[in-house]
Amino acid sequence: MSEEKSGKGPVLRLFQVRIRQGHADTLLEKFATTSVDVVRHEPGNAGYFFGRGLASDESYLVFASLWDDLDAVKRRFGETWQQSFLPEGYEDLIEEHSIRHVDLSTGWAVASR
């Protein structure tokens, strides 16, 4: 995909963490409050979801936010948009973390229920 077309949206911002032993419930509570507050009501944010890995991935948690386009992500997170945003108190609960941005413009479909 060319640089010109990349990020035209929608864009999924995927924050993945490997949690420290015994801290999954605490971090999920923080996702439901603090992380939600980071993205909710922000211009260009179309929603969010979060959860924990299953089976062999149970030590991983994910917080994903959906954005209209890459410009909306950059407006919210500024020059550090390619870095994980760790609110206060997260560092003590996390072994490792990563952030990814996925351009969904060529593969976006949501079935109506």
Side-chain angles (χ1 to χ4, degrees), residues 3-24:
E3 190 81 23
E4 184 177 303
K5 291 184 179 183
S6 180
K8 293 297 180 191
V11 169
L12 182 70
R13 180 177 168 91
L14 186 62
F15 174 61
Q16 181 174 318
V17 303
R18 185 164 57 92
I19 54 168
R20 293 188 194 276
Q21 184 74 23
H23 293 291

Side-chain angles (χ1 to χ4, degrees), residues 89-102:
Y90 278 48
E91 197 81 32
D92 297 336
L93 307 172
I94 295 172
E95 289 284 333
E96 62 186 48
H97 55 87
S98 66
I99 194 78
R100 292 183 183 266
H101 296 88
V102 181

Side-chain angles (χ1 to χ4, degrees), residues 57 59 65 85 87 97 102 106 112:
D57 283 338
S59 65
S65 52
F85 178 80
H97 55 87
V102 181
T106 58
S112 60

Side-chain angles (χ1 to χ4, degrees), residues 6-7 10-15 65 67 69-70 73-74 77 80-84 98-104:
S6 180
V11 169
L12 182 70
R13 180 177 168 91
L14 186 62
F15 174 61
S65 52
W67 299 86
D69 54 32
L70 188 56
V73 173
K74 290 177 178 180
F77 295 98
T80 60
W81 70 273
Q82 293 178 298
Q83 298 171 13
S84 297
S98 66
I99 194 78
R100 292 183 183 266
H101 296 88
V102 181
D103 185 331
L104 302 174

